[in-house]
Each structure stands twice: as structure tokens, then as C-alpha cells.
Amino acid sequence: MDQRQLKHFLAVAETLHFGKAADRLGMTQPPLSQSIRALEAEIGSPLFVRTNRSVSLTSLGAEWLGPVRSALDDLENLARLAQRLRSGDTGRLEVSFVSTADYSILPTLVQRFRQLYPAVELLLTEATSDVQISTLLEEKGNVGIIIRDVPALPKGLSYRKLVCESLIAAVPEDWITQGRITPVKGRLTSAEMTASSLVIFPRRVAPSFYDLVMDYYAAHGGDVHIIQHAIQMQTIISLVSAGMGIALVPASMRHLARSGVAYLALQSKAPQLESGLIWRDGDSTSTLANFLRIATKSHVAIRQTGTS
């Protein structure tokens, strides 16, 4: 029994006429009759009552018609599903991202991807760059948005730049009102920055980010006084709001409005932080290809301050 025989049975059952069924199937009547006889022999019971004037279903044929129709519909649905999976119109995509991306490129990417591929199950997980790299190397997840690290990424991973943005200072508003910090035309001077206690990621979590900040302090002749490490950007901003210290953060963090926090551009040339996509070499899933295409289209708008 095969799909062809089931289609033959369905055509005869719906027309109750071998000639009309053969026309519908685009075949002649004799091979259709042979196919039905072979099917009946395999089942061990007749499916049709044939007379010189009419064709009708046996009780078995009538009961079997519904399941056969459903089975053929399921097969057609499977074929359509395979096509949609191949094109990436449906399926599953696991995306991880650093907390900074939540205020810059991620909302735009998610919105555009969902608009174009609403049937794809999109699973989002926040994770630091080091965790994302380890996860991908363990053959888990599909793609991540990380802070670009140096030296080169581990073998087996690909990277594509998405955005490069300036660092700005997040400072406690109370420090400004109390005169502890006196911005010059809305900018924080390097002297005041290097004299302030600092809240920052631990180096193991974001080496490039950490080194970028340390290099900036070194270039401006200041000693670094790290008052607290924090893994999540939201936590860093909360600690700034509590007056624990200042933080250098991507310019897109201006989108995170937090009571007690002011965002100031740096008076001297600001360090640039690069973020981008990371995925496994050889991952050829269509959902990933579609996500990469959307992410790297030249017209994707990155609505944030101080990015390029």
C-alpha cells in the first residue's frame, strides 16, 4: 500500500465512477482498476461494489474513506511543512544576547524578524559574551549578540559586526546637584571621571569592555578605583543610582531611564564598543540565514545615540 494507491481509492470513492476518477487522476481506466484490485487484495476485502450500472462503497470502504482522506491531507501537510522548514518560514531559532543589546540593536532585530517570520518560534536568552561562546561551542543555541572580544574568537565560530557605539558616563544625579561632579557643557571631564569610584563588569565576563575602560583610564593618567563589579548592565545602572559610583556604558543605555541616574558624554574622545553576531561555522539552517540577512541589511535602523 502506498500513497498512489490511496489517491486512487479516494478518487473512485468520491466520484463513484472509474472513468471519472481516471480522468481526475490523469490516467486511463484499466490501470486504475488494477490498482484498486491490488489494494483490495492487500486489505483482504472489497472496497467497492461494482455492477454494470453503478459503483458504490462497501461498508468497509465507507468507514475507511475518512481515515484515508485524513492520511493524505497529513502527507500533503508534511510536504508543505518541509518546504516551509527549508525556506525558514517556520521552525525554531534560539538567540542569546548581552544586556547592552537589549537597549540597542535587539528590539529592532526582533521586531523585523517577527514581522517577516511570525511562525518561527523565537527563543531569547540574556547571557554574557563568555557564556554565549561556551554555549555555541557546546552545540547549543543558534546565534548570539556579543561584545566583540579580542583576540580572535575560538575556532568553529563566525562573527559579523553589527554596531559600534561610544561609551558615555552614567553618574549619580545627586553628585551633580551636590557639586561633586560639575559637567562642562553636559560632558564629564576626564579628571572627574578618573577621580570617581567605578562600577564595571568583571573582566572574565567582558574582557574587551573591561580593557577598553582600563585603557581609557590609563590614557588619561588616572588610577582606577573599582568599587563594585556587576554582571548585568541593569545592575550596574542600579548601583550608580544608589550613589555607589559612576560607570562607563554604551550610549544606547540612555534608553534605560532610571531615577537618580544622569548620562553624560565624555569631554575627551570616547572609547568605541563593538557588538556583533556570533554563530557556529557550518550552521546552514534557514532560520539562522534569515536572521543574519535581516540583521546585516544596510537599511536596518539602529535607533540609539552615539552609534555608527
Side-chain angles (χ1 to χ4, degrees), residues 8 13 38 59 82 85 92 97 104 122 140 169 173 177 185 211 218 236 261 280 283 307:
H8 292 172
S59 57
L85 287 170
R92 175 187 176 103
F97 60 94
S104 57
L122 191 61
K140 299 176 183 176
E173 283 186 337
T177 57
K185 295 182 180 180
D211 291 345
I236 290 176
V261 176
R280 282 186 298 276
D283 189 339
T307 60

Side-chain angles (χ1 to χ4, degrees), residues 75-214:
L75 287 173
E76 290 182 6
N77 289 335
L78 281 175
R80 286 193 292 268
L81 177 59
Q83 292 295 327
R84 296 186 69 199
L85 287 170
R86 187 175 68 177
S87 65
D89 289 331
T90 191
R92 175 187 176 103
L93 186 69
E94 297 182 38
V95 181
S96 55
F97 60 94
V98 290
S99 58
T100 54
D102 200 15
Y103 300 93
S104 57
I105 189 65
L106 184 67
T108 298
L109 292 183
V110 170
Q111 181 184 38
R112 289 181 178 273
F113 189 82
R114 287 201 181 281
Q115 286 175 345
L116 293 174
Y117 303 100
V120 174
E121 182 183 7
L122 191 61
L123 302 178
L124 301 173
T125 303
E126 184 177 337
T128 55
S129 297
D130 59 326
V131 171
Q132 292 188 56
I133 291 171
S134 297
T135 299
L136 287 170
L137 290 174
E138 292 170 2
E139 301 290 325
K140 299 176 183 176
N142 300 110
V143 62
I145 302 175
I146 66 167
I147 293 172
R148 181 67 165 108
D149 203 1
V150 290
L153 292 168
K155 185 178 180 181
L157 298 179
S158 294
Y159 173 84
R160 187 175 298 171
K161 176 182 175 181
L162 276 183
V163 61
C164 189
E165 54 183 320
S166 301
L167 295 187
I168 61 173
V171 304
E173 283 186 337
D174 287 348
W175 288 17
I176 299 176
T177 57
Q178 295 167 3
R180 184 171 173 178
I181 284 180
T182 54
V184 177
K185 295 182 180 180
R187 296 178 176 269
L188 181 66
T189 66
S190 58
E192 287 184 322
M193 186 197 73
T194 55
S196 301
S197 51
L198 181 68
V199 183
I200 192 172
F201 286 113
R203 191 180 188 281
R204 63 175 176 80
V205 168
S208 58
F209 194 166
Y210 184 94
D211 291 345
L212 198 63
V213 174
M214 294 301 106

Side-chain angles (χ1 to χ4, degrees), residues 51-63:
T51 69
N52 291 333
R53 296 184 176 181
S54 66
V55 175
S56 61
L57 285 162
T58 64
S59 57
L60 172 63
E63 291 181 11

